[in-house]
mmCIF file of all heavy atoms in Angstrom:
data_model
loop_
_atom_site.group_PDB
_atom_site.id
_atom_site.type_symbol
_atom_site.label_atom_id
_atom_site.label_comp_id
_atom_site.label_asym_id
_atom_site.label_seq_id
_atom_site.Cartn_x
_atom_site.Cartn_y
_atom_site.Cartn_z
ATOM 1 N N GLY P 207 76.387 47.557 116.606
ATOM 2 C CA GLY P 207 77.252 47.327 115.484
ATOM 3 C C GLY P 207 77.734 48.578 114.798
ATOM 4 O O GLY P 207 78.633 48.581 113.972
ATOM 5 N N GLY P 208 77.203 49.712 115.261
ATOM 6 C CA GLY P 208 77.596 50.998 114.685
ATOM 7 C C GLY P 208 78.843 51.534 115.270
ATOM 8 O O GLY P 208 79.439 50.914 116.169
ATOM 9 N N SER P 209 79.208 52.783 114.911
ATOM 10 C CA SER P 209 80.421 53.423 115.371
ATOM 11 C C SER P 209 80.091 54.865 115.817
ATOM 12 O O SER P 209 79.171 55.493 115.366
ATOM 13 C CB SER P 209 81.459 53.445 114.297
ATOM 14 O OG SER P 209 81.854 52.107 113.940
ATOM 15 N N LEU P 210 80.925 55.326 116.742
ATOM 16 C CA LEU P 210 80.916 56.760 117.126
ATOM 17 C C LEU P 210 82.322 57.130 117.396
ATOM 18 O O LEU P 210 83.188 56.318 117.807
ATOM 19 C CB LEU P 210 80.066 56.900 118.448
ATOM 20 C CG LEU P 210 78.596 56.915 118.302
ATOM 21 C CD1 LEU P 210 77.940 57.009 119.730
ATOM 22 C CD2 LEU P 210 78.043 58.098 117.484
ATOM 23 N N LEU P 255 87.018 45.354 126.179
ATOM 24 C CA LEU P 255 86.647 46.015 124.999
ATOM 25 C C LEU P 255 86.983 45.140 123.733
ATOM 26 O O LEU P 255 86.450 45.399 122.671
ATOM 27 C CB LEU P 255 87.294 47.328 124.828
ATOM 28 C CG LEU P 255 86.884 48.383 125.880
ATOM 29 C CD1 LEU P 255 87.740 49.655 125.642
ATOM 30 C CD2 LEU P 255 85.418 48.691 125.743
ATOM 31 N N GLY P 257 89.339 45.100 121.692
ATOM 32 C CA GLY P 257 89.907 45.781 120.505
ATOM 33 C C GLY P 257 88.984 46.660 119.702
ATOM 34 O O GLY P 257 89.297 47.136 118.618
ATOM 35 N N ARG P 258 87.784 46.877 120.236
ATOM 36 C CA ARG P 258 86.764 47.633 119.476
ATOM 37 C C ARG P 258 86.959 49.192 119.561
ATOM 38 O O ARG P 258 86.454 49.890 118.675
ATOM 39 C CB ARG P 258 85.387 47.326 120.039
ATOM 40 C CG ARG P 258 85.029 45.824 119.875
ATOM 41 C CD ARG P 258 83.590 45.574 120.332
ATOM 42 N NE ARG P 258 83.476 45.731 121.843
ATOM 43 C CZ ARG P 258 82.653 46.678 122.351
ATOM 44 N NH1 ARG P 258 81.931 47.551 121.621
ATOM 45 N NH2 ARG P 258 82.589 46.802 123.644
ATOM 46 N N PHE P 259 87.687 49.637 120.575
ATOM 47 C CA PHE P 259 87.907 51.061 120.741
ATOM 48 C C PHE P 259 89.367 51.420 120.443
ATOM 49 O O PHE P 259 90.282 50.679 120.767
ATOM 50 C CB PHE P 259 87.492 51.561 122.204
ATOM 51 C CG PHE P 259 86.110 51.414 122.596
ATOM 52 C CD1 PHE P 259 85.186 50.820 121.756
ATOM 53 C CD2 PHE P 259 85.699 51.897 123.773
ATOM 54 C CE1 PHE P 259 83.808 50.713 122.131
ATOM 55 C CE2 PHE P 259 84.391 51.862 124.169
ATOM 56 C CZ PHE P 259 83.421 51.270 123.341
ATOM 57 N N THR P 260 89.567 52.683 119.931
ATOM 58 C CA THR P 260 90.873 53.146 119.711
ATOM 59 C C THR P 260 91.026 54.600 120.172
ATOM 60 O O THR P 260 90.165 55.413 119.809
ATOM 61 C CB THR P 260 91.288 53.130 118.239
ATOM 62 O OG1 THR P 260 91.152 51.808 117.692
ATOM 63 C CG2 THR P 260 92.756 53.611 117.968
ATOM 64 N N GLN P 273 87.628 56.438 119.175
ATOM 65 C CA GLN P 273 86.926 55.790 118.106
ATOM 66 C C GLN P 273 86.328 54.512 118.658
ATOM 67 O O GLN P 273 87.046 53.624 119.122
ATOM 68 C CB GLN P 273 87.903 55.495 116.911
ATOM 69 C CG GLN P 273 87.177 54.781 115.770
ATOM 70 C CD GLN P 273 86.143 55.650 115.089
ATOM 71 O OE1 GLN P 273 86.337 56.852 114.776
ATOM 72 N NE2 GLN P 273 84.992 55.083 114.781
ATOM 73 N N MET P 274 85.023 54.400 118.567
ATOM 74 C CA MET P 274 84.341 53.211 119.111
ATOM 75 C C MET P 274 83.638 52.476 118.009
ATOM 76 O O MET P 274 82.744 53.068 117.296
ATOM 77 C CB MET P 274 83.330 53.689 120.189
ATOM 78 C CG MET P 274 83.948 54.515 121.265
ATOM 79 S SD MET P 274 82.766 54.887 122.623
ATOM 80 C CE MET P 274 81.548 55.844 121.754
ATOM 81 N N ASN P 275 83.987 51.312 117.732
ATOM 82 C CA ASN P 275 83.472 50.486 116.597
ATOM 83 C C ASN P 275 82.674 49.310 117.182
ATOM 84 O O ASN P 275 82.965 48.911 118.309
ATOM 85 C CB ASN P 275 84.568 49.995 115.679
ATOM 86 C CG ASN P 275 85.301 51.139 114.965
ATOM 87 O OD1 ASN P 275 84.710 52.202 114.731
ATOM 88 N ND2 ASN P 275 86.575 50.965 114.743
ATOM 89 N N ASN P 276 81.815 48.763 116.349
ATOM 90 C CA ASN P 276 81.107 47.590 116.731
ATOM 91 C C ASN P 276 80.434 47.774 118.136
ATOM 92 O O ASN P 276 80.583 46.863 118.984
ATOM 93 C CB ASN P 276 81.955 46.288 116.719
ATOM 94 C CG ASN P 276 81.215 45.028 116.854
ATOM 95 O OD1 ASN P 276 80.009 44.952 116.574
ATOM 96 N ND2 ASN P 276 81.892 43.942 117.307
ATOM 97 N N LEU P 277 79.734 48.851 118.300
ATOM 98 C CA LEU P 277 79.215 49.143 119.591
ATOM 99 C C LEU P 277 78.159 48.168 119.960
ATOM 100 O O LEU P 277 77.432 47.611 119.168
ATOM 101 C CB LEU P 277 78.590 50.564 119.605
ATOM 102 C CG LEU P 277 79.675 51.637 119.671
ATOM 103 C CD1 LEU P 277 79.149 52.996 119.187
ATOM 104 C CD2 LEU P 277 80.173 51.798 121.101
ATOM 105 N N LYS P 278 78.064 48.006 121.301
ATOM 106 C CA LYS P 278 77.169 46.971 121.874
ATOM 107 C C LYS P 278 76.326 47.699 122.872
ATOM 108 O O LYS P 278 76.595 48.703 123.402
ATOM 109 C CB LYS P 278 77.920 45.854 122.553
ATOM 110 C CG LYS P 278 78.913 45.099 121.728
ATOM 111 C CD LYS P 278 79.666 44.078 122.435
ATOM 112 C CE LYS P 278 80.550 43.292 121.562
ATOM 113 N NZ LYS P 278 81.344 42.210 122.271
ATOM 114 N N ASP P 281 77.741 49.053 125.961
ATOM 115 C CA ASP P 281 78.512 50.255 125.933
ATOM 116 C C ASP P 281 77.782 51.493 126.298
ATOM 117 O O ASP P 281 78.382 52.545 126.451
ATOM 118 C CB ASP P 281 79.168 50.426 124.565
ATOM 119 C CG ASP P 281 80.122 49.320 124.203
ATOM 120 O OD1 ASP P 281 80.900 48.885 125.029
ATOM 121 O OD2 ASP P 281 80.057 48.799 123.032
#
Side-chain angles (χ1 to χ4, degrees):
S209 298
L210 285 173
L255 295 176
R258 297 182 293 117
F259 293 8
T260 303
Q273 178 67 44
M274 307 186 296
N275 297 327
N276 191 22
L277 283 160
K278 302 178 179 182
D281 295 317

